[in-house]
Amino acid sequence: MKTLDRTAEGPWEKYHGPNLGYIQEQYEKFLEDAESVDPAYRELFANWGPPPSFAKGEKKADTQATAAGFNREMLKKSVNAGKLVWNIRTYGHLAADIDPIGISAEADTRLLQPETYGLSQQDLTALPAEVVWDEAPEDVKNGWEAIQRLHQIYTGTIAYEFSHVHEEEERNWLNSHAESVVHQIVLSKEERHHLLKRLFEAEQFEDFLHRNFVGAKRFSVEGNDALVPMLDEIVREMAHEHVDSVLIGMAHRGRLNVLAHVLKKEYSKIFSEFMHAPTNKHLVPSEGTMGINYGWTGDVKYHLGADRFVKEGEAHEMRVTLANNPSHLEYVNPVVEGFTRAAQEDRTQPGYPKQDENKAVTIILHGDSAFPGEGVVAETLNFNKLPGFRNGGTIHVIVNNRIGFTTEGRDSRSTYYASDLAKGYEIPIIHVNADDPEACISAARLASEYRNRFKKDILIDLVGYRKYGHNETDDPETTQPLIYQKVKNHASVSNLYVDTLIQQQMITAEEADQLKAKVQSSLKEAYDIVKNSESSDHVLLNIKPSGDKKKPKAKTGVALEQLREINRELLNWPEGFTVYPKLKRILERRSTALNEGEKVDWGHAETLAFASIIADGNPIRITGQDAERATFAHRNLVLHDSVNGSTFCPLHRLPQAKASFAIHNSPLSEESVLGFEYGYNVYSPETLVIWEAQYGDFTNCAQVIIDQFITSGSSKWRQKSSLVMLLPHGYEGQGPEHSSARLERFLQLSGEDNWMVANLTTAAQYFHLLRRQASLLNTEDAKPLVLMAPKSLIRNPRATSAITDFSEGSFQEVIPQPGLGQTPKKVERLILCSGKVAIDLEEALDKQEGEDFSWLHIVRVEQLYPFPKEEIAAMLKPLTSLKEVLWVQEEPQNMGGWSYMEPRIREVAGKEVEVRYNGRPERSSPASGYQDVHAYEQQSITSFALNRKTINHQISLGR
């Protein structure tokens, strides 16, 4: 125990008023029974002795709270008043007026009542206001008035949950603003008129669509109309802060309204979409149109995004973007987070990009069922503080209509509020009644100020209702008859606000009617223009090229001397930096790998590719669960000092670099991280963005991002991406979950030249493929790259490449097996294969050295999609005695490349040549979990392939 100076005040000097009384009360308990108080208090009293009143040796029975001048009973009442204040701040939301149509169950609010603490009005009146409420306004005279005012603040139409925020400075700031700044906001007459106009526009737009396009689905915002002016306010607040970009993500509920009023999409364009899109009123619950609409080809109108520029004042112009989003609701969240990080970063200099969190802000609009229901929400919230993914705070808004399609909250979540998930990430929560538009504006201002000050997430729970069913063809009364009786009898927010303004003498009924009529007139004018137009502005389906059209090969070779210069610099570590000895020996071998006669392995080839790409001026960003080292320890681009733990990335000090290189280990998430990287790449198309799966199998967890964004984003939204996915793939006997990256799924999704799918066998091929991808950045030919990345081949000598392959070569779609096919007229079997199985065949060939294989040729198909038709045809042409083409794969027959390759091979081979399969039989699981079974199957595949007697014979594994 430390030696104490009992005359020093120690920690007691920070306790005043009721807090001092409370600590004195704890000391009394400590004297009677030390075990009855919290261990922290026991330690405090043991280390520092008694608090001030006891330090003077007063007897417990005669103790006076001299600091406050109260007797013991009064001191207890002041302590209890402090507890009451804390609970009003913490639980006031339970009694708040945030339920527009009164469908919530009544909450237990006893913690908010003075009687619970043994306090009467007389007791509280006897206490000075500042004892109860430290920052009580001057017009609050005593404790009773303080409690009443705090009740008014915390149980009104705007309510707060801040107690879960652990940072004291933030929590105090939030409470202070709720109690002073927000509570005192009064809109000017001009602001109120503008707010009313905005409500009229939101409401009348929906009403106009409802009347003129009967039965068409639009996913109306009605019941949460205040969302539109709330978004306006956030955008305006960000413009005042000179933010360059506001990036918005949302599902389809209210999207058309946001497009029309926040993104300023012309009414005429929206009406044109309704007029030209075939609708089917009976398509329930689907979204209901065939997707032939104005200005785009492949998605329904309420999935589309938009861009606009806002000019606030004379100087600053800000870009506002609403991201495209499919029906998968919350899956746009990480995508738009990626947009924002890309917008914040300067990638023009070497090293990590320079991030300015003030340059861009994210707003994400959530559904009340989807927020707790979809796991991608939690995964995205987790980005809040992560170095590679944080973006200085997102403003979240739950557009809470209290129901998900037909499912109420009691069936869709286990939490009290839809917003409760955010508490786990210490995100402040503001609940606001959507029927009080001025409170909504106050919530928007508070959220904006908090985000800009603390650079953290904040959430607004906009509590309203849903005027119609899930869509406008759905009858909600079949499942929620009582709720919809209330909805039918409930006045719209614009009518409620008109009544309020008339009572406040801010507007007359005639003026309100005129304002409403003006809004209706503008809608009708736009409608008439489209209706009477002879021309059709909409675009019918645009048929894209099939992918068979060949383009000139990119020049991806790098001069030998340039590669050697880069290689020397990559091994130039900082003075005093201690590389882990084992790793140091491995890396130092690279110093001679570019000499004549030496070979470059996979990891070395990748590093040289990265270095040459940033030397060309193209920035790179790579993430993954183990991206810095790589799952198989081949990358090691972030070195750790084995003495002091400091880190160093060789690519950050590369003299040749003309652009940034970002590498980050990611959270243990696939869907959110892949979505983030896709968004980053879409927003910064000049950047080579790479996502690496820990194992390729884990892409299962990101399937929605792959299906709905990466593979189809260009077709649906003309949204370009050049994202690279590295998916470790290969049958090594590691079982069902560590073998297959599900090549078959990517091939099934291939169409319209939408991406490239490759399965490589040499380090030089990887080098050239990465450089080819970089050469396509920010061009019309940019597209994603799906690479079945190797595992054992990373260190297999057969996958290494000579230096001349890097300086003189280029990416080859197909590679003939060296040493075979020397006499084309003798070849009876042509084996086509891809990836690791090609190396297995090569090893098996070498074991049979001396045998006559003139009857056999093997061609590795390195690029599966787009299908290299011309190259394979050229390989087939001289084989005049060919009897069969055998497709060999390690995956089961219903997986891998067979189903995709078979019809394409047959087309090229012609009717005279048989096309056959060699590999594992059809299975439900990708691979065996037993090493001996795996080895037997692999041996059987190679043995059959290299046995001349099996020509025109069935393979047992393939039956």
Side-chain angles (χ1 to χ4, degrees):
M1 185 178 293
K2 61 187 285 190
T3 301
L4 303 177
D5 177 6
R6 297 291 182 180
T7 62
E9 285 210 56
W12 310 128
E13 60 186 2
K14 65 183 180 181
Y15 291 95
H16 305 282
N19 291 329
L20 177 60
Y22 178 74
I23 205 71
Q24 290 166 337
E25 184 180 54
Q26 293 301 305
Y27 187 67
E28 284 187 24
K29 292 182 179 179
F30 174 76
L31 292 177
E32 292 175 357
D33 178 9
E35 296 298 321
S36 68
V37 301
D38 187 274
Y41 287 128
R42 293 203 297 270
E43 183 180 356
L44 193 66
F45 297 140
N47 287 340
W48 292 97
S53 62
F54 287 100
K56 296 178 182 179
E58 298 169 353
K59 293 181 181 178
K60 184 179 69 169
D62 300 322
T63 297
Q64 298 292 318
T66 56
F70 299 142
N71 60 33
R72 184 166 180 260
E73 188 62 29
M74 206 60 184
L75 180 60
K76 284 189 174 182
K77 291 186 182 297
S78 68
V79 170
N80 287 339
K83 293 178 182 177
L84 174 58
V85 169
W86 172 262
N87 282 323
I88 290 172
R89 287 172 174 156
T90 304
Y91 301 111
H93 57 87
L94 295 174
D97 180 15
I98 54 171
D99 181 8
I101 57 174
I103 61 174
S104 296
E106 188 173 343
D108 184 350
T109 59
R110 285 174 292 180
L111 286 173
L112 310 178
Q113 306 304 320
E115 295 79 9
T116 303
Y117 308 89
L119 296 171
S120 65
Q121 180 175 348
Q122 184 178 1
D123 293 334
L124 290 168
T125 303
L127 293 172
E130 62 272 15
V131 169
V132 175
W133 183 8
D134 288 342
E135 299 178 358
E138 291 184 3
D139 63 325
V140 175
K141 304 303 181 185
N142 56 54
W144 174 255
E145 291 184 8
I147 294 300
Q148 297 309 302
R149 182 69 59 85
L150 288 169
H151 258 288
Q152 180 185 354
I153 290 169
Y154 285 97
T155 65
T157 54
I158 181 168
Y160 311 95
E161 289 191 89
F162 299 150
S163 61
H164 58 279
V165 177
H166 294 166
E167 290 290 336
E168 187 175 7
E169 180 190 357
E170 292 178 33
R171 190 174 63 250
N172 289 342
W173 184 92
L174 287 161
N175 283 324
S176 176
H177 270 58
E179 293 165 12
S180 56
V181 179
V182 173
H183 184 65
Q184 295 172 9
I185 288 177
V186 177
L187 300 184
S188 67
K189 182 175 181 179
E190 181 183 356
E191 288 175 323
R192 285 169 167 164
H193 278 223
H194 179 74
L195 176 54
L196 178 60
K197 180 186 177 185
R198 229 32 183 154
L199 294 173
F200 276 145
E201 287 174 339
E203 178 189 67
Q204 292 305 308
F205 172 77
E206 300 286 4
D207 184 66
F208 190 88
L209 292 177
H210 195 67
R211 288 185 288 104
N212 287 278
F213 303 103
V214 178
K217 298 172 188 177
R218 65 183 192 279
F219 300 96
S220 158
V221 78
E222 290 162 285
N224 282 100
D225 313 54
L227 174 67
V228 172
M230 179 184 284
L231 286 176
D232 278 343
E233 189 64 30
I234 296 172
V235 169
R236 191 178 300 113
E237 289 289 324
M238 295 307 156
H240 289 155
E241 292 294 318
H242 287 189
V243 170
D244 292 334
S245 302
V246 172
L247 296 314
I248 305 173
M250 69 179 298
H252 42 266
R253 173 72 54 199
R255 176 176 281 258
L256 293 179
N257 218 307
V258 170
L259 281 168
H261 299 117
V262 180
L263 277 296
K264 304 296 185 186
K265 184 173 181 177
E266 296 175 13
Y267 288 151
S268 58
K269 289 185 177 180
I270 295 173
F271 296 157
S272 176
E273 291 171 2
F274 277 94
M275 289 179 179
H276 297 303
T279 59
N280 186 335
K281 300 175 186 179
H282 305 293
L283 287 179
V284 178
S286 71
E287 274 64 46
T289 73
M290 297 296 291
I292 306 176
N293 287 311
Y294 177 92
W296 48 277
T297 61
D299 209 346
V300 289
K301 49 193 163 291
Y302 31 78
H303 291 172
L304 300 183
D307 264 324
R308 82 170 175 108
F309 287 89
V310 178
K311 196 158 187 177
E312 195 71 25
E314 293 299 318
H316 187 69
E317 188 173 60
M318 181 173 69
R319 178 182 180 184
V320 181
T321 301
L322 176 64
N324 301 298
N325 189 26
S327 282
H328 291 68
L329 304 178
E330 304 289 338
Y331 280 82
V332 75
N333 297 2
V335 175
V336 76
E337 297 276 359
F339 282 6
T340 304
R341 179 67 178 245
Q344 292 174 345
E345 290 191 334
D346 177 3
R347 294 169 288 276
T348 60
Q349 301 298 319
Y352 280 108
K354 304 299 186 292
Q355 184 181 9
D356 181 354
E357 294 173 340
N358 293 318
K359 289 182 67 175
V361 173
T362 311
I363 305 171
I364 300 181
L365 312 182
H366 306 273
D368 54 294
S369 290
F371 189 80
E374 295 195 357
V376 71
V377 177
E379 291 187 19
T380 306
L381 294 179
N382 190 44
F383 289 151
N384 194 14
K385 297 178 182 178
L386 305 185
F389 302 88
R390 64 185 176 217
N391 62 15
T394 293
I395 297 177
H396 301 270
V397 181
I398 296 180
V399 187
N400 192 341
N401 57 38
R402 322 293 295 285
I403 191 169
F405 206 146
T406 67
T407 304
E408 296 174 45
R410 64 176 180 268
D411 294 317
S412 65
R413 66 173 189 267
S414 297
T415 57
Y416 188 82
Y417 290 119
S419 57
D420 283 347
L421 174 66
K423 292 179 182 178
Y425 299 91
E426 296 184 49
I427 297 172
I429 299 168
I430 307 167
H431 304 279
V432 62
N433 189 322
D435 272 359
D436 186 347
E438 292 190 18
C440 294
I441 297 300
S442 295
R445 290 179 179 176
L446 176 58
S448 300
E449 191 172 350
Y450 173 85
R451 186 273 170 198
N452 291 332
R453 179 183 178 93
F454 294 103
K455 301 296 185 287
K456 291 183 179 180
D457 288 18
I458 189 166
L459 185 148
I460 300 171
D461 180 20
L462 178 64
V463 185
Y465 56 92
R466 191 181 70 192
K467 184 174 180 179
Y468 299 105
H470 173 67
N471 58 66
E472 287 67 32
T473 68
D474 177 52
D475 182 1
E477 292 191 65
T478 59
T479 48
Q480 277 78 32
L482 300 182
I483 290 177
Y484 275 89
Q485 286 176 20
K486 293 188 175 187
V487 170
K488 284 182 177 180
N489 295 322
H490 191 74
S492 70
V493 63
S494 64
N495 288 333
L496 293 172
Y497 195 49
V498 166
D499 292 342
T500 298
L501 295 183
I502 290 173
Q503 290 173 10
Q504 295 174 348
Q505 298 183 340
M506 290 287 176
I507 199 171
T508 65
E510 291 74 17
E511 289 172 333
D513 289 341
Q514 290 171 5
L515 185 58
K516 184 176 181 179
K518 187 175 180 181
V519 170
Q520 292 171 332
S521 177
S522 63
L523 289 162
K524 188 174 186 307
E525 287 175 13
Y527 177 79
D528 290 341
I529 290 171
V530 177
K531 187 176 182 180
N532 298 326
S533 175
E534 292 291 332
S535 64
S536 173
D537 289 330
H538 67 290
V539 179
L540 295 179
L541 293 177
N542 176 29
I543 305 302
K544 290 194 171 188
S546 65
D548 292 335
K549 186 178 179 181
K550 304 302 291 185
K551 298 181 178 66
K553 284 189 177 182
K555 295 180 180 180
T556 55
V558 178
L560 182 55
E561 190 50 44
Q562 183 182 351
L563 286 175
R564 285 175 173 159
E565 289 175 4
I566 288 173
N567 198 51
R568 283 193 289 271
E569 293 296 340
L570 291 172
L571 296 174
N572 184 16
W573 302 317
E575 186 176 348
F577 189 90
T578 308
V579 180
Y580 177 57
K582 181 180 177 182
L583 177 60
K584 183 179 180 181
R585 291 192 296 272
I586 294 170
L587 294 176
E588 284 179 338
R589 291 189 206 130
R590 294 181 177 182
S591 63
T592 59
L594 303 191
N595 294 345
E596 194 71 34
E598 297 293 329
K599 293 292 185 76
V600 175
D601 66 19
W602 198 275
H604 194 184
E606 179 186 73
T607 302
L608 291 172
F610 289 165
S612 64
I613 289 168
I614 60 176
D616 290 340
N618 296 117
I620 296 175
R621 174 182 166 91
I622 177 171
T623 67
Q625 286 156 15
D626 310 281
E628 294 181 357
R629 191 199 74 174
T631 302
F632 305 104
H634 73 277
R635 182 170 297 125
N636 293 297
L637 279 179
V638 176
L639 305 178
H640 295 254
D641 190 299
S642 60
V643 175
N644 58 32
S646 63
T647 59
F648 165 68
C649 177
L651 289 173
H652 288 166
R653 287 201 354 180
L654 189 71
Q656 295 88 343
K658 300 183 182 69
S660 65
F661 178 80
I663 182 167
H664 299 284
N665 287 339
S666 76
L668 194 65
S669 165
E670 286 80 32
E671 63 186 0
S672 64
V673 175
L674 184 57
F676 188 100
E677 302 310 327
Y678 172 80
Y680 192 105
N681 178 230
V682 166
Y683 209 84
S684 60
E686 81 288 355
T687 305
L688 181 63
V689 179
I690 302 170
W691 175 71
E692 182 177 61
Q694 191 177 65
Y695 284 90
D697 315 64
F698 299 164
T699 51
N700 286 341
C701 301
Q703 203 64 48
V704 171
I705 297 297
I706 293 167
D707 290 354
Q708 306 303 325
F709 291 91
I710 299 172
T711 182
S712 57
S714 176
S715 176
K716 292 192 295 188
W717 311 313
R718 296 176 180 169
Q719 186 164 282
K720 285 284 186 181
S721 167
S722 54
L723 178 70
V724 178
M725 289 188 284
L726 303 180
L727 312 178
H729 175 84
Y731 280 54
E732 323 279 1
Q734 295 187 50
E737 275 70 60
H738 295 309
S739 296
S740 176
R742 297 295 192 170
L743 171 63
E744 63 279 358
R745 294 181 181 173
F746 294 98
L747 294 175
Q748 184 185 45
L749 292 167
S750 298
E752 297 184 288
D753 203 19
N754 61 330
W755 57 17
M756 293 175 283
V757 181
N759 194 9
L760 311 181
T761 56
T762 75
Q765 282 283 86
Y766 183 38
F767 174 88
H768 289 295
L769 186 58
L770 287 174
R771 287 188 51 78
R772 183 179 80 168
Q773 188 72 354
S775 73
L776 299 177
L777 294 171
N778 212 13
T779 70
E780 280 302 308
D781 293 325
K783 65 191 70 174
L785 168 63
V786 181
L787 181 60
M788 301 291 108
K791 294 182 287 185
S792 65
L793 295 194
I794 286 172
R795 293 177 178 82
N796 193 316
R798 296 179 184 277
T800 59
S801 300
I803 183 58
T804 52
D805 293 335
F806 297 86
S807 59
E808 300 173 8
S810 62
F811 178 73
Q812 305 298 311
E813 282 84 358
V814 299
I815 299 177
Q817 177 67 38
L820 294 182
Q822 302 297 313
T823 311
K825 293 181 181 180
K826 292 185 178 181
V827 174
E828 298 177 357
R829 169 181 282 173
L830 172 65
I831 291 177
L832 296 180
C833 56
S834 187
K836 176 184 167 292
V837 74
I839 302 298
D840 293 341
L841 290 170
E842 183 176 281
E843 290 177 345
L845 278 171
D846 286 354
K847 289 177 181 177
Q848 301 179 49
E849 186 178 359
E851 287 195 24
D852 178 15
F853 281 104
S854 61
W855 58 275
L856 177 69
H857 196 17
I858 298 176
V859 173
R860 304 176 185 180
V861 183
E862 303 276 294
Q863 176 182 289
L864 292 102
Y865 184 84
F867 179 66
K869 181 178 180 180
E870 292 179 12
E871 287 80 359
I872 292 177
M875 295 290 176
L876 284 164
K877 189 173 182 180
L879 308 182
T880 54
S881 300
L882 190 67
K883 295 181 179 179
E884 69 175 27
V885 175
L886 185 68
W887 174 258
V888 179
Q889 68 178 37
E890 52 191 347
E891 303 90 350
Q893 188 172 1
N894 55 324
M895 303 176 195
W898 169 243
S899 297
Y900 164 83
M901 293 294 290
E902 180 189 14
R904 290 166 176 80
I905 296 172
R906 289 191 188 281
E907 181 184 356
V908 176
K911 296 180 180 179
E912 303 301 320
V913 177
E914 188 174 359
V915 177
R916 300 175 61 210
Y917 167 80
N918 177 18
R920 288 174 169 81
E922 290 186 354
R923 285 185 176 150
S924 58
S925 176
S928 171
Y930 301 99
Q931 178 66 42
D932 55 345
V933 173
H934 160 78
Y936 169 77
E937 291 177 341
Q938 207 74 2
Q939 174 64 33
S940 298
I941 292 170
T942 56
S943 297
F944 182 93
L946 304 183
N947 186 349
R948 188 175 187 179
K949 295 179 181 179
T950 61
I951 295 177
N952 295 328
H953 285 73
Q954 289 293 328
I955 178 173
S956 59
L957 279 175
R959 287 176 185 161

